[in-house]
Amino acid sequence: MEIIFEKTVAAFSLGVLIFFIIFCIQPFKFFYRRARLSLVITLWQIVISPFGQVKFRHFFLADILTSMTQPLRDLGYISCFFFQGSWLDQSDPSVEQCPLLEDYILSVAFLPFWFRLAQCFRRYYDCKQRVHLINAGKYFSVILVHFTNVLR
């Protein structure tokens, strides 16, 4: 009886997740289409931040992404859990089942801090305030920690 309940909970979670993804990418002009489009544009501008002007919304959203590294890692585990069929036999996802999971986790741990580092350098280039280099040092130290973790 407990196994049936766990599979039902997993199926319900999968259904809610699929509904949320479809809801976010639906192209119709309701449920804040302009805001969703603005979010995608801002995310793209974060990716190309060393080559463009960094505004408040760019570094604010990139700073939020640095705080969201653990939930983004969990999305990798959730994807592996559902796509590999681990939810059917209630087993934990592993690197053997999902060979790209480790690469995803490392990139999610590294990229948000890299974007913030690039934004700090761009802000220093634009206004020559030393505080941006100090802030860049903070993000560089986090990148070094992740790099040493990869080597370990």
Side-chain angles (χ1 to χ4, degrees), residues 43-79:
L43 286 172
W44 174 248
Q45 290 170 341
I46 288 171
V47 170
I48 62 169
S49 59
F51 309 110
Q53 187 178 17
V54 178
K55 296 181 181 179
F56 175 77
R57 69 173 181 236
H58 302 141
F59 74 81
F60 185 73
L61 184 59
D63 203 32
I64 289 172
L65 288 176
T66 59
S67 301
M68 297 291 288
T69 54
Q70 188 59 43
L72 290 173
R73 287 180 190 175
D74 290 343
L75 280 177
Y77 285 111
I78 290 170
S79 300

Side-chain angles (χ1 to χ4, degrees), residues 34-45:
R34 283 184 31 207
R36 288 182 280 124
L37 184 60
S38 177
L39 177 67
V40 169
I41 291 170
T42 304
L43 286 172
W44 174 248
Q45 290 170 341

Side-chain angles (χ1 to χ4, degrees), residues 83-138:
F83 288 136
Q84 296 301 324
S86 300
W87 67 284
L88 295 172
D89 58 358
Q90 299 297 314
S91 63
D92 291 333
S94 64
V95 178
E96 292 81 28
Q97 290 176 333
C98 303
L100 298 177
L101 181 62
E102 189 173 5
D103 296 335
Y104 171 79
I105 291 171
L106 291 175
S107 64
V108 163
F110 172 76
L111 285 177
F113 297 103
W114 175 257
F115 296 145
R116 281 296 288 140
L117 178 71
Q119 286 177 343
C120 291
F121 283 138
R122 180 60 194 208
R123 299 266 312 207
Y124 176 75
Y125 177 79
D126 289 341
C127 64
K128 303 293 189 228
Q129 291 180 350
R130 212 178 92 183
V131 69
H132 296 300
L133 289 180
I134 294 169
N135 202 17
K138 175 176 69 172

